Amino acid sequence: MAKIGIVGVGNIGGALAHSLLSEPNLQLYLYDVKISMAKGKAKDLRQAAVISGHGPTAVYAANDVKDLKECDVVVVIAGLARQPGMDRRALLHANAEIVSGVATALKGTEATVVVVTNPVDTMTYLMTRLLDLPFGRVVGMASVLDEGRFCSAIAKILNVDASSLTACVVGAHNDSMVPLISSIRWGGLPLSPDQVDRLVIGGVIEQTRRGGANIVQLLGSGSAYYGPAEAVKRMVLAITRDENRLVRCSVVLQGEYAGVTDLSCGTPVVLGCQGVKEIVEYPMSPEEFSLFQRSVDSLKDERALIQTYLDASIAMGPVEMVSGGVGNAKV
Ligand code: A3D
């Protein structure tokens, strides 16, 4: 029975918990700064599981983030979401404050931590540095979602079934992300030159990059959540089932891509129990590679801006280990 903790059960956290109800052998532990709301959602989800016949999925609400420390996977989705006209970077300071607080409470955990809070590459970097877990145990969700948007745009332009498409997006989860046209396969086949021309003329790159902003605009308040929830679910299952699945995730690079280090960004990885087992470099053309480098560079000033949160954590010294545990979770 794998224990999944969800920190922040707003739109994405709620949709994720609901989607995970249909999976066997999981126990869900919900925490939100709005404790009563998390308790309400846990109760609602338990009743939903009974009605849908999904049986004994256990859903609990916790009174403290520390109660999730013994989970196998903790998904961190706590934070502000974009509003129309905002880019993800505008969330940086408010969400760095929240992620730092969550990291402090989780210090000492042995869970694999999946970060969703935006701007996700920098929040993944921050969580990685603050938790100081072995390599691969902190991983960000972004490219799984971006690829869903990429494939959806390709399918519409080419008028083909989206589920027969695969395609890769690398780099930062911002407007500089790099959807790789060379990576697209349709039922395993590369595209014809005519199909590639149609995609370029149809603006597939721009549509992919603007996929999130477009939904923010349409919703009028908040950002996408069904797509992000399904993308996180895919990653959670890859971890709990030890799938060794090749997926694109945000992870702190270790010198890959001609020496990139100390930055988290989207790259193919092998995902299984305990998180990222291996970073797999995507082979790119020189043009694609220079776009990738530009995308990575876009994250450097964000990294500089969160330095204060890292310094504050060092100044605080070792965090006192308060015994927590899913046993303390309250219904
Ligand atoms: P929302 O519905 O507002 O839920 C966020 C939840 O976090 C709320 O219920 C808050 O009460 C809770 N929260 C705030 N501070 C804390 C805290 N300290 N501890 C625990 N809970 C807290 O937002 P959402 O679910 O739509 O989005 C959540 C985050 O995901 C935002 O930062 C979004 O920008 C981000 N997001 C990322 C992607 C990616 O692809 C990476 C996509 C969409 C949204």
Side-chain angles (χ1 to χ4, degrees):
M1 187 68 80
K3 297 180 170 67
I4 314 297
I6 302 178
V7 184
V9 283
N11 283 337
I12 300 176
L16 171 66
H18 185 235
S19 188
L20 286 173
L21 275 190
S22 57
E23 296 300 322
N25 302 323
L26 295 183
Q27 288 181 348
L28 307 182
Y29 294 86
L30 315 185
Y31 173 76
D32 198 286
V33 73
K34 298 175 190 158
I35 291 172
S36 168
M37 187 266 282
K39 287 182 177 169
K41 287 204 177 185
K43 205 165 208 180
D44 191 13
L45 285 161
R46 282 198 304 277
Q47 292 167 2
V50 172
I51 294 163
S52 61
H54 287 315
T57 306
V59 189
Y60 305 105
N63 283 321
D64 199 303
V65 193
K66 291 188 179 103
D67 294 339
L68 307 187
K69 278 167 82 167
E70 290 172 11
C71 286
D72 301 287
V73 180
V74 176
V75 184
V76 179
I77 328 179
L80 305 185
R82 281 197 285 171
Q83 301 300 331
M86 250 189 198
D87 69 6
R88 297 174 179 95
R89 183 174 295 210
L91 306 169
L92 187 85
H93 284 293
N95 284 351
E97 188 84 42
I98 291 170
V99 166
S100 299
V102 173
T104 303
L106 287 178
K107 194 89 179 161
T109 185
E110 292 185 1
T112 298
V113 178
V114 178
V115 179
V116 185
T117 307
N118 267 323
V120 70
D121 299 296
T122 303
M123 293 305 115
T124 303
Y125 174 79
L126 181 61
M127 185 65 87
T128 304
R129 290 282 312 273
L130 292 174
L131 284 183
D132 198 22
L133 286 166
F135 166 76
R137 295 269 288 285
V138 179
V139 58
M141 184 289 286
S143 302
V144 180
L145 173 66
D146 297 329
E147 286 170 8
R149 291 175 173 159
F150 192 22
C151 288
S152 177
I154 298 164
K156 194 163 177 218
I157 295 169
L158 297 183
N159 191 24
V160 297
D161 164 41
S163 66
S164 57
L165 290 164
T166 55
C168 182
V169 178
V170 291
H173 180 61
N174 61 27
D175 290 349
S176 74
M177 70 177 73
V178 189
L180 295 165
I181 289 195
S182 65
S183 72
I184 303 169
R185 295 290 179 274
W186 180 33
L189 298 171
L191 299 185
S192 67
D194 170 61
Q195 286 173 313
V196 171
D197 286 348
R198 283 164 57 201
L199 290 181
V200 173
I201 292 163
V204 75
I205 304 274
E206 197 49 28
Q207 281 185 43
T208 306
R209 286 179 173 155
R210 303 279 310 152
N214 183 242
I215 293 173
V216 169
Q217 202 64 38
L218 290 167
L219 290 176
S221 171
S223 54
Y225 48 101
Y226 294 120
E230 288 306 308
V232 180
K233 178 182 178 181
R234 192 67 254 123
M235 290 173 63
V236 168
L237 295 181
I239 296 165
T240 54
R241 295 173 181 166
D242 193 18
E243 286 179 349
N244 291 334
R245 178 175 280 259
L246 190 68
V247 284
R248 264 64 60 180
C249 297
S250 190
V251 64
V252 175
L253 294 177
Q254 314 282 307
E256 292 80 9
Y257 299 104
V260 183
T261 54
D262 205 33
L263 265 178
S264 188
C265 79
T267 175
V269 302
V270 178
L271 196 62
C273 71
Q274 303 201 321
V276 174
K277 294 186 178 180
E278 191 185 339
I279 295 174
V280 180
E281 285 191 52
Y282 194 88
M284 290 179 245
S285 68
E287 296 74 32
E288 289 169 340
F289 192 65
S290 78
L291 289 172
F292 175 78
Q293 282 179 316
R294 218 164 54 200
S295 185
V296 168
D297 284 345
S298 76
L299 295 169
K300 289 184 179 160
D301 58 331
E302 280 185 19
R303 180 183 57 187
L305 289 168
I306 55 145
Q307 188 58 41
T308 47
Y309 300 95
L310 295 170
D311 295 343
S313 145
I314 292 163
M316 269 165 51
V319 175
E320 193 193 335
M321 303 291 281
V322 180
S323 68
V326 288
N328 294 343
K330 297 285 186 301
V331 178

